[in-house]
mmCIF file of all heavy atoms in Angstrom:
data_model
loop_
_atom_site.group_PDB
_atom_site.id
_atom_site.type_symbol
_atom_site.label_atom_id
_atom_site.label_comp_id
_atom_site.label_asym_id
_atom_site.label_seq_id
_atom_site.Cartn_x
_atom_site.Cartn_y
_atom_site.Cartn_z
ATOM 1 N N LEU A 1 -6.565 -41.865 -3.384
ATOM 2 C CA LEU A 1 -6.416 -42.172 -4.805
ATOM 3 C C LEU A 1 -7.282 -43.368 -5.198
ATOM 4 O O LEU A 1 -7.933 -43.365 -6.250
ATOM 5 C CB LEU A 1 -4.946 -42.448 -5.116
ATOM 6 C CG LEU A 1 -4.565 -42.597 -6.587
ATOM 7 C CD1 LEU A 1 -4.913 -41.335 -7.352
ATOM 8 C CD2 LEU A 1 -3.082 -42.903 -6.720
ATOM 9 N N ILE A 2 -7.309 -44.386 -4.351
ATOM 10 C CA ILE A 2 -8.150 -45.552 -4.633
ATOM 11 C C ILE A 2 -9.619 -45.151 -4.680
ATOM 12 O O ILE A 2 -10.369 -45.564 -5.578
ATOM 13 C CB ILE A 2 -7.913 -46.638 -3.560
ATOM 14 C CG1 ILE A 2 -6.492 -47.182 -3.674
ATOM 15 C CG2 ILE A 2 -8.926 -47.771 -3.709
ATOM 16 C CD1 ILE A 2 -6.113 -48.105 -2.539
ATOM 17 N N GLY A 3 -10.049 -44.345 -3.719
ATOM 18 C CA GLY A 3 -11.452 -43.931 -3.684
ATOM 19 C C GLY A 3 -11.862 -43.146 -4.903
ATOM 20 O O GLY A 3 -12.954 -43.358 -5.456
ATOM 21 N N ALA A 4 -10.995 -42.240 -5.360
ATOM 22 C CA ALA A 4 -11.340 -41.437 -6.534
ATOM 23 C C ALA A 4 -11.437 -42.297 -7.792
ATOM 24 O O ALA A 4 -12.367 -42.134 -8.599
ATOM 25 C CB ALA A 4 -10.294 -40.333 -6.723
ATOM 26 N N ILE A 5 -10.501 -43.219 -7.967
ATOM 27 C CA ILE A 5 -10.510 -44.057 -9.170
ATOM 28 C C ILE A 5 -11.728 -44.967 -9.182
ATOM 29 O O ILE A 5 -12.410 -45.117 -10.212
ATOM 30 C CB ILE A 5 -9.204 -44.872 -9.250
ATOM 31 C CG1 ILE A 5 -8.027 -43.936 -9.505
ATOM 32 C CG2 ILE A 5 -9.288 -45.930 -10.343
ATOM 33 C CD1 ILE A 5 -6.677 -44.622 -9.502
ATOM 34 N N VAL A 6 -12.045 -45.577 -8.037
ATOM 35 C CA VAL A 6 -13.214 -46.463 -7.976
ATOM 36 C C VAL A 6 -14.495 -45.667 -8.180
ATOM 37 O O VAL A 6 -15.424 -46.122 -8.867
ATOM 38 C CB VAL A 6 -13.240 -47.226 -6.642
ATOM 39 C CG1 VAL A 6 -14.529 -48.025 -6.490
ATOM 40 C CG2 VAL A 6 -12.040 -48.156 -6.545
ATOM 41 N N ALA A 7 -14.573 -44.471 -7.610
ATOM 42 C CA ALA A 7 -15.779 -43.659 -7.761
ATOM 43 C C ALA A 7 -16.019 -43.283 -9.217
ATOM 44 O O ALA A 7 -17.171 -43.144 -9.647
ATOM 45 C CB ALA A 7 -15.664 -42.400 -6.904
ATOM 46 N N GLU A 8 -14.946 -43.125 -9.991
ATOM 47 C CA GLU A 8 -15.108 -42.771 -11.400
ATOM 48 C C GLU A 8 -15.671 -43.925 -12.224
ATOM 49 O O GLU A 8 -16.106 -43.715 -13.351
ATOM 50 C CB GLU A 8 -13.768 -42.320 -11.975
ATOM 51 C CG GLU A 8 -13.336 -40.947 -11.462
ATOM 52 C CD GLU A 8 -11.976 -40.524 -11.986
ATOM 53 O OE1 GLU A 8 -11.269 -41.386 -12.538
ATOM 54 O OE2 GLU A 8 -11.638 -39.336 -11.837
ATOM 55 N N PHE A 9 -15.656 -45.125 -11.699
ATOM 56 C CA PHE A 9 -16.286 -46.237 -12.412
ATOM 57 C C PHE A 9 -17.802 -46.074 -12.495
ATOM 58 O O PHE A 9 -18.439 -46.648 -13.377
ATOM 59 C CB PHE A 9 -15.986 -47.554 -11.697
ATOM 60 C CG PHE A 9 -14.587 -48.070 -11.911
ATOM 61 C CD1 PHE A 9 -13.608 -47.284 -12.470
ATOM 62 C CD2 PHE A 9 -14.258 -49.353 -11.551
ATOM 63 C CE1 PHE A 9 -12.318 -47.755 -12.668
ATOM 64 C CE2 PHE A 9 -12.978 -49.849 -11.736
ATOM 65 C CZ PHE A 9 -12.008 -49.039 -12.292
ATOM 66 N N PHE A 10 -18.382 -45.299 -11.570
ATOM 67 C CA PHE A 10 -19.836 -45.217 -11.462
ATOM 68 C C PHE A 10 -20.402 -43.924 -12.035
ATOM 69 O O PHE A 10 -21.584 -43.657 -11.897
ATOM 70 C CB PHE A 10 -20.260 -45.346 -9.991
ATOM 71 C CG PHE A 10 -19.892 -46.661 -9.384
ATOM 72 C CD1 PHE A 10 -18.702 -46.810 -8.697
ATOM 73 C CD2 PHE A 10 -20.724 -47.754 -9.504
ATOM 74 C CE1 PHE A 10 -18.358 -48.023 -8.135
ATOM 75 C CE2 PHE A 10 -20.385 -48.976 -8.951
ATOM 76 C CZ PHE A 10 -19.194 -49.113 -8.276
ATOM 77 N N GLY A 11 -19.573 -43.129 -12.644
ATOM 78 C CA GLY A 11 -20.081 -41.913 -13.263
ATOM 79 C C GLY A 11 -19.083 -40.788 -13.163
ATOM 80 O O GLY A 11 -18.631 -40.442 -12.073
ATOM 81 N N THR A 12 -18.698 -40.246 -14.312
ATOM 82 C CA THR A 12 -17.711 -39.179 -14.355
ATOM 83 C C THR A 12 -17.791 -38.515 -15.714
ATOM 84 O O THR A 12 -18.315 -39.102 -16.672
ATOM 85 C CB THR A 12 -16.298 -39.738 -14.120
ATOM 86 O OG1 THR A 12 -15.349 -38.665 -14.109
ATOM 87 C CG2 THR A 12 -15.908 -40.726 -15.213
ATOM 88 N N PRO A 13 -17.291 -37.293 -15.861
ATOM 89 C CA PRO A 13 -17.097 -36.762 -17.205
ATOM 90 C C PRO A 13 -16.163 -37.682 -18.000
ATOM 91 O O PRO A 13 -15.497 -38.535 -17.436
ATOM 92 C CB PRO A 13 -16.461 -35.385 -16.950
ATOM 93 C CG PRO A 13 -16.875 -35.031 -15.561
ATOM 94 C CD PRO A 13 -16.952 -36.319 -14.806
ATOM 95 N N VAL A 14 -16.108 -37.498 -19.297
ATOM 96 C CA VAL A 14 -15.350 -38.413 -20.158
ATOM 97 C C VAL A 14 -13.851 -38.176 -20.008
ATOM 98 O O VAL A 14 -13.116 -38.013 -20.986
ATOM 99 C CB VAL A 14 -15.783 -38.256 -21.624
ATOM 100 C CG1 VAL A 14 -17.169 -38.822 -21.831
ATOM 101 C CG2 VAL A 14 -15.729 -36.786 -22.046
ATOM 102 N N VAL A 15 -13.379 -38.194 -18.788
ATOM 103 C CA VAL A 15 -11.972 -38.034 -18.478
ATOM 104 C C VAL A 15 -11.769 -38.524 -17.050
ATOM 105 O O VAL A 15 -12.683 -38.484 -16.230
ATOM 106 C CB VAL A 15 -11.532 -36.556 -18.631
ATOM 107 C CG1 VAL A 15 -12.207 -35.676 -17.600
ATOM 108 C CG2 VAL A 15 -10.019 -36.410 -18.573
ATOM 109 N N GLY A 16 -10.569 -39.001 -16.748
ATOM 110 C CA GLY A 16 -10.282 -39.511 -15.418
ATOM 111 C C GLY A 16 -9.676 -40.908 -15.489
ATOM 112 O O GLY A 16 -9.906 -41.665 -16.435
ATOM 113 N N MET A 17 -8.885 -41.253 -14.482
ATOM 114 C CA MET A 17 -8.204 -42.544 -14.480
ATOM 115 C C MET A 17 -9.194 -43.704 -14.409
ATOM 116 O O MET A 17 -9.045 -44.702 -15.122
ATOM 117 C CB MET A 17 -7.230 -42.609 -13.302
ATOM 118 C CG MET A 17 -6.048 -41.673 -13.396
ATOM 119 S SD MET A 17 -4.921 -41.878 -12.018
ATOM 120 C CE MET A 17 -3.672 -40.650 -12.422
ATOM 121 N N GLY A 18 -10.178 -43.599 -13.533
ATOM 122 C CA GLY A 18 -11.159 -44.669 -13.434
ATOM 123 C C GLY A 18 -11.964 -44.822 -14.712
ATOM 124 O O GLY A 18 -12.248 -45.944 -15.153
ATOM 125 N N PHE A 19 -12.353 -43.703 -15.300
ATOM 126 C CA PHE A 19 -13.067 -43.754 -16.575
ATOM 127 C C PHE A 19 -12.200 -44.393 -17.654
ATOM 128 O O PHE A 19 -12.680 -45.211 -18.456
ATOM 129 C CB PHE A 19 -13.458 -42.336 -16.989
ATOM 130 C CG PHE A 19 -13.983 -42.229 -18.389
ATOM 131 C CD1 PHE A 19 -15.297 -42.562 -18.681
ATOM 132 C CD2 PHE A 19 -13.158 -41.801 -19.425
ATOM 133 C CE1 PHE A 19 -15.786 -42.467 -19.981
ATOM 134 C CE2 PHE A 19 -13.629 -41.701 -20.722
ATOM 135 C CZ PHE A 19 -14.951 -42.041 -20.991
ATOM 136 N N ARG A 20 -10.890 -44.051 -17.684
ATOM 137 C CA ARG A 20 -9.998 -44.598 -18.705
ATOM 138 C C ARG A 20 -9.844 -46.110 -18.542
ATOM 139 O O ARG A 20 -9.864 -46.863 -19.516
ATOM 140 C CB ARG A 20 -8.631 -43.911 -18.622
ATOM 141 C CG ARG A 20 -7.734 -44.164 -19.807
ATOM 142 C CD ARG A 20 -8.273 -43.541 -21.058
ATOM 143 N NE ARG A 20 -8.591 -42.133 -20.830
ATOM 144 C CZ ARG A 20 -9.427 -41.433 -21.565
ATOM 145 N NH1 ARG A 20 -10.066 -42.022 -22.581
ATOM 146 N NH2 ARG A 20 -9.672 -40.166 -21.298
ATOM 147 N N ILE A 21 -9.693 -46.561 -17.314
ATOM 148 C CA ILE A 21 -9.519 -47.995 -17.079
ATOM 149 C C ILE A 21 -10.761 -48.764 -17.505
ATOM 150 O O ILE A 21 -10.680 -49.788 -18.194
ATOM 151 C CB ILE A 21 -9.186 -48.254 -15.597
ATOM 152 C CG1 ILE A 21 -7.789 -47.705 -15.266
ATOM 153 C CG2 ILE A 21 -9.252 -49.741 -15.273
ATOM 154 C CD1 ILE A 21 -7.444 -47.774 -13.796
ATOM 155 N N SER A 22 -11.933 -48.277 -17.100
ATOM 156 C CA SER A 22 -13.166 -49.012 -17.400
ATOM 157 C C SER A 22 -13.452 -49.041 -18.901
ATOM 158 O O SER A 22 -13.867 -50.080 -19.439
ATOM 159 C CB SER A 22 -14.344 -48.374 -16.658
ATOM 160 O OG SER A 22 -14.527 -47.026 -17.063
ATOM 161 N N THR A 23 -13.216 -47.946 -19.600
ATOM 162 C CA THR A 23 -13.514 -47.921 -21.034
ATOM 163 C C THR A 23 -12.490 -48.701 -21.855
ATOM 164 O O THR A 23 -12.849 -49.410 -22.800
ATOM 165 C CB THR A 23 -13.579 -46.473 -21.538
ATOM 166 O OG1 THR A 23 -12.349 -45.794 -21.209
ATOM 167 C CG2 THR A 23 -14.739 -45.730 -20.919
ATOM 168 N N GLU A 24 -11.209 -48.596 -21.497
ATOM 169 C CA GLU A 24 -10.182 -49.279 -22.287
ATOM 170 C C GLU A 24 -10.176 -50.782 -22.025
ATOM 171 O O GLU A 24 -9.806 -51.561 -22.910
ATOM 172 C CB GLU A 24 -8.796 -48.693 -21.984
ATOM 173 C CG GLU A 24 -8.651 -47.224 -22.355
ATOM 174 C CD GLU A 24 -8.925 -46.964 -23.827
ATOM 175 O OE1 GLU A 24 -8.732 -47.868 -24.645
ATOM 176 O OE2 GLU A 24 -9.340 -45.828 -24.159
ATOM 177 N N VAL A 25 -10.606 -51.218 -20.850
ATOM 178 C CA VAL A 25 -10.757 -52.651 -20.612
ATOM 179 C C VAL A 25 -11.844 -53.211 -21.518
ATOM 180 O O VAL A 25 -11.710 -54.307 -22.086
ATOM 181 C CB VAL A 25 -11.077 -52.926 -19.134
ATOM 182 C CG1 VAL A 25 -11.639 -54.332 -18.947
ATOM 183 C CG2 VAL A 25 -9.833 -52.770 -18.279
ATOM 184 N N ALA A 26 -12.934 -52.466 -21.673
ATOM 185 C CA ALA A 26 -14.004 -52.922 -22.562
ATOM 186 C C ALA A 26 -13.535 -52.997 -24.009
ATOM 187 O O ALA A 26 -14.021 -53.826 -24.778
ATOM 188 C CB ALA A 26 -15.205 -51.984 -22.440
ATOM 189 N N ARG A 27 -12.581 -52.154 -24.390
ATOM 190 C CA ARG A 27 -12.046 -52.175 -25.751
ATOM 191 C C ARG A 27 -10.857 -53.125 -25.901
ATOM 192 O O ARG A 27 -10.265 -53.197 -26.979
ATOM 193 C CB ARG A 27 -11.608 -50.768 -26.148
ATOM 194 C CG ARG A 27 -12.744 -49.754 -26.179
ATOM 195 C CD ARG A 27 -12.184 -48.362 -26.424
ATOM 196 N NE ARG A 27 -13.243 -47.342 -26.399
ATOM 197 C CZ ARG A 27 -13.018 -46.041 -26.454
ATOM 198 N NH1 ARG A 27 -11.765 -45.601 -26.527
ATOM 199 N NH2 ARG A 27 -14.015 -45.177 -26.424
ATOM 200 N N MET A 28 -10.445 -53.777 -24.820
ATOM 201 C CA MET A 28 -9.309 -54.700 -24.803
ATOM 202 C C MET A 28 -7.994 -53.983 -25.098
ATOM 203 O O MET A 28 -7.034 -54.595 -25.580
ATOM 204 C CB MET A 28 -9.517 -55.847 -25.796
ATOM 205 C CG MET A 28 -10.781 -56.642 -25.559
ATOM 206 S SD MET A 28 -10.826 -57.399 -23.907
ATOM 207 C CE MET A 28 -9.574 -58.653 -24.066
ATOM 208 N N ASN A 29 -7.915 -52.688 -24.790
ATOM 209 C CA ASN A 29 -6.657 -51.942 -24.929
ATOM 210 C C ASN A 29 -5.900 -52.013 -23.604
ATOM 211 O O ASN A 29 -5.844 -51.055 -22.823
ATOM 212 C CB ASN A 29 -6.930 -50.484 -25.312
ATOM 213 C CG ASN A 29 -7.506 -50.359 -26.695
ATOM 214 O OD1 ASN A 29 -7.222 -51.176 -27.574
ATOM 215 N ND2 ASN A 29 -8.308 -49.332 -26.919
ATOM 216 N N LEU A 30 -5.315 -53.183 -23.333
ATOM 217 C CA LEU A 30 -4.689 -53.410 -22.041
ATOM 218 C C LEU A 30 -3.420 -52.593 -21.855
ATOM 219 O O LEU A 30 -3.023 -52.320 -20.712
ATOM 220 C CB LEU A 30 -4.390 -54.898 -21.851
ATOM 221 C CG LEU A 30 -5.514 -55.770 -21.266
ATOM 222 C CD1 LEU A 30 -5.930 -55.270 -19.906
ATOM 223 C CD2 LEU A 30 -6.710 -55.816 -22.192
ATOM 224 N N ASP A 31 -2.762 -52.193 -22.936
ATOM 225 C CA ASP A 31 -1.571 -51.354 -22.786
ATOM 226 C C ASP A 31 -1.917 -50.019 -22.137
ATOM 227 O O ASP A 31 -1.203 -49.543 -21.244
ATOM 228 C CB ASP A 31 -0.925 -51.117 -24.149
ATOM 229 C CG ASP A 31 -0.317 -52.385 -24.729
ATOM 230 O OD1 ASP A 31 -0.234 -53.379 -23.986
ATOM 231 O OD2 ASP A 31 0.058 -52.377 -25.908
ATOM 232 N N ILE A 32 -3.018 -49.404 -22.575
ATOM 233 C CA ILE A 32 -3.432 -48.130 -21.991
ATOM 234 C C ILE A 32 -3.894 -48.328 -20.553
ATOM 235 O O ILE A 32 -3.644 -47.479 -19.683
ATOM 236 C CB ILE A 32 -4.546 -47.491 -22.845
ATOM 237 C CG1 ILE A 32 -4.045 -47.247 -24.273
ATOM 238 C CG2 ILE A 32 -5.030 -46.189 -22.224
ATOM 239 C CD1 ILE A 32 -5.081 -46.650 -25.190
ATOM 240 N N VAL A 33 -4.542 -49.449 -20.281
ATOM 241 C CA VAL A 33 -4.969 -49.736 -18.910
ATOM 242 C C VAL A 33 -3.757 -49.823 -17.993
ATOM 243 O O VAL A 33 -3.725 -49.226 -16.909
ATOM 244 C CB VAL A 33 -5.786 -51.037 -18.869
ATOM 245 C CG1 VAL A 33 -6.079 -51.436 -17.427
ATOM 246 C CG2 VAL A 33 -7.083 -50.879 -19.640
ATOM 247 N N TRP A 34 -2.732 -50.566 -18.429
ATOM 248 C CA TRP A 34 -1.536 -50.691 -17.603
ATOM 249 C C TRP A 34 -0.795 -49.368 -17.505
ATOM 250 O O TRP A 34 -0.183 -49.071 -16.465
ATOM 251 C CB TRP A 34 -0.627 -51.780 -18.171
ATOM 252 C CG TRP A 34 -1.031 -53.156 -17.747
ATOM 253 C CD1 TRP A 34 -1.809 -54.042 -18.437
ATOM 254 C CD2 TRP A 34 -0.689 -53.805 -16.523
ATOM 255 N NE1 TRP A 34 -1.977 -55.196 -17.720
ATOM 256 C CE2 TRP A 34 -1.295 -55.085 -16.540
ATOM 257 C CE3 TRP A 34 0.066 -53.439 -15.427
ATOM 258 C CZ2 TRP A 34 -1.157 -55.996 -15.492
ATOM 259 C CZ3 TRP A 34 0.203 -54.338 -14.382
ATOM 260 C CH2 TRP A 34 -0.401 -55.587 -14.423
ATOM 261 N N ALA A 35 -0.832 -48.554 -18.544
ATOM 262 C CA ALA A 35 -0.208 -47.236 -18.471
ATOM 263 C C ALA A 35 -0.918 -46.357 -17.444
ATOM 264 O O ALA A 35 -0.265 -45.631 -16.676
ATOM 265 C CB ALA A 35 -0.233 -46.572 -19.848
ATOM 266 N N THR A 36 -2.241 -46.435 -17.407
ATOM 267 C CA THR A 36 -2.993 -45.677 -16.404
ATOM 268 C C THR A 36 -2.689 -46.178 -15.002
ATOM 269 O O THR A 36 -2.530 -45.385 -14.061
ATOM 270 C CB THR A 36 -4.499 -45.780 -16.686
ATOM 271 O OG1 THR A 36 -4.769 -45.372 -18.033
ATOM 272 C CG2 THR A 36 -5.286 -44.910 -15.737
ATOM 273 N N ILE A 37 -2.607 -47.494 -14.841
ATOM 274 C CA ILE A 37 -2.248 -48.063 -13.541
ATOM 275 C C ILE A 37 -0.855 -47.599 -13.121
ATOM 276 O O ILE A 37 -0.613 -47.297 -11.942
ATOM 277 C CB ILE A 37 -2.328 -49.602 -13.602
ATOM 278 C CG1 ILE A 37 -3.777 -50.046 -13.790
ATOM 279 C CG2 ILE A 37 -1.743 -50.226 -12.341
ATOM 280 C CD1 ILE A 37 -3.939 -51.530 -14.018
ATOM 281 N N THR A 38 0.065 -47.521 -14.082
ATOM 282 C CA THR A 38 1.416 -47.048 -13.773
ATOM 283 C C THR A 38 1.400 -45.609 -13.283
ATOM 284 O O THR A 38 2.087 -45.258 -12.307
ATOM 285 C CB THR A 38 2.309 -47.172 -15.014
ATOM 286 O OG1 THR A 38 2.341 -48.539 -15.438
ATOM 287 C CG2 THR A 38 3.717 -46.697 -14.726
ATOM 288 N N VAL A 39 0.621 -44.760 -13.958
ATOM 289 C CA VAL A 39 0.516 -43.360 -13.519
ATOM 290 C C VAL A 39 -0.055 -43.289 -12.108
ATOM 291 O O VAL A 39 0.438 -42.536 -11.251
ATOM 292 C CB VAL A 39 -0.352 -42.561 -14.502
ATOM 293 C CG1 VAL A 39 -0.618 -41.158 -13.959
ATOM 294 C CG2 VAL A 39 0.317 -42.480 -15.862
ATOM 295 N N ALA A 40 -1.082 -44.090 -11.825
ATOM 296 C CA ALA A 40 -1.676 -44.091 -10.489
ATOM 297 C C ALA A 40 -0.682 -44.588 -9.449
ATOM 298 O O ALA A 40 -0.585 -44.019 -8.336
ATOM 299 C CB ALA A 40 -2.932 -44.964 -10.484
ATOM 300 N N ALA A 41 0.076 -45.648 -9.779
ATOM 301 C CA ALA A 41 1.045 -46.186 -8.833
ATOM 302 C C ALA A 41 2.161 -45.185 -8.555
ATOM 303 O O ALA A 41 2.569 -45.000 -7.391
ATOM 304 C CB ALA A 41 1.622 -47.492 -9.372
ATOM 305 N N LEU A 42 2.665 -44.535 -9.593
ATOM 306 C CA LEU A 42 3.712 -43.539 -9.400
ATOM 307 C C LEU A 42 3.203 -42.342 -8.612
ATOM 308 O O LEU A 42 3.918 -41.786 -7.769
ATOM 309 C CB LEU A 42 4.256 -43.088 -10.755
ATOM 310 C CG LEU A 42 5.034 -44.137 -11.557
ATOM 311 C CD1 LEU A 42 5.430 -43.580 -12.919
ATOM 312 C CD2 LEU A 42 6.265 -44.596 -10.791
ATOM 313 N N THR A 43 1.961 -41.948 -8.878
ATOM 314 C CA THR A 43 1.383 -40.826 -8.138
ATOM 315 C C THR A 43 1.240 -41.166 -6.661
ATOM 316 O O THR A 43 1.621 -40.380 -5.784
ATOM 317 C CB THR A 43 0.011 -40.458 -8.725
ATOM 318 O OG1 THR A 43 0.163 -40.115 -10.104
ATOM 319 C CG2 THR A 43 -0.596 -39.286 -7.974
ATOM 320 N N GLY A 44 0.682 -42.349 -6.362
ATOM 321 C CA GLY A 44 0.530 -42.752 -4.972
ATOM 322 C C GLY A 44 1.860 -42.897 -4.265
ATOM 323 O O GLY A 44 2.013 -42.474 -3.108
ATOM 324 N N SER A 45 2.850 -43.477 -4.942
ATOM 325 C CA SER A 45 4.168 -43.640 -4.332
ATOM 326 C C SER A 45 4.831 -42.294 -4.085
ATOM 327 O O SER A 45 5.455 -42.075 -3.046
ATOM 328 C CB SER A 45 5.049 -44.510 -5.229
ATOM 329 O OG SER A 45 4.493 -45.797 -5.399
ATOM 330 N N GLY A 46 4.709 -41.380 -5.065
ATOM 331 C CA GLY A 46 5.284 -40.056 -4.878
ATOM 332 C C GLY A 46 4.614 -39.283 -3.756
ATOM 333 O O GLY A 46 5.287 -38.599 -2.964
ATOM 334 N N PHE A 47 3.293 -39.395 -3.672
ATOM 335 C CA PHE A 47 2.543 -38.739 -2.602
ATOM 336 C C PHE A 47 2.982 -39.266 -1.242
ATOM 337 O O PHE A 47 3.281 -38.520 -0.306
ATOM 338 C CB PHE A 47 1.049 -38.981 -2.823
ATOM 339 C CG PHE A 47 0.148 -38.021 -2.099
ATOM 340 C CD1 PHE A 47 -1.235 -38.103 -2.254
ATOM 341 C CD2 PHE A 47 0.657 -37.036 -1.269
ATOM 342 C CE1 PHE A 47 -2.085 -37.234 -1.589
ATOM 343 C CE2 PHE A 47 -0.177 -36.154 -0.594
ATOM 344 C CZ PHE A 47 -1.544 -36.256 -0.756
ATOM 345 N N TYR A 48 3.045 -40.587 -1.122
ATOM 346 C CA TYR A 48 3.455 -41.219 0.138
ATOM 347 C C TYR A 48 4.904 -40.869 0.473
ATOM 348 O O TYR A 48 5.226 -40.546 1.623
ATOM 349 C CB TYR A 48 3.289 -42.730 0.025
ATOM 350 C CG TYR A 48 3.530 -43.484 1.312
ATOM 351 C CD1 TYR A 48 2.466 -43.837 2.137
ATOM 352 C CD2 TYR A 48 4.810 -43.857 1.697
ATOM 353 C CE1 TYR A 48 2.672 -44.532 3.313
ATOM 354 C CE2 TYR A 48 5.036 -44.544 2.878
ATOM 355 C CZ TYR A 48 3.965 -44.884 3.672
ATOM 356 O OH TYR A 48 4.185 -45.565 4.840
#
């Protein structure tokens, strides 16, 4: 999960957790950034 999110910082279609984090941080929409982080954390915890 970490690898996929980081890889999306360097190029992805206009969708994806990494793309959402990088774009919303630039827009200062920290609520959406934290919501994306929450989805990633819940996904990783559920997977584990």
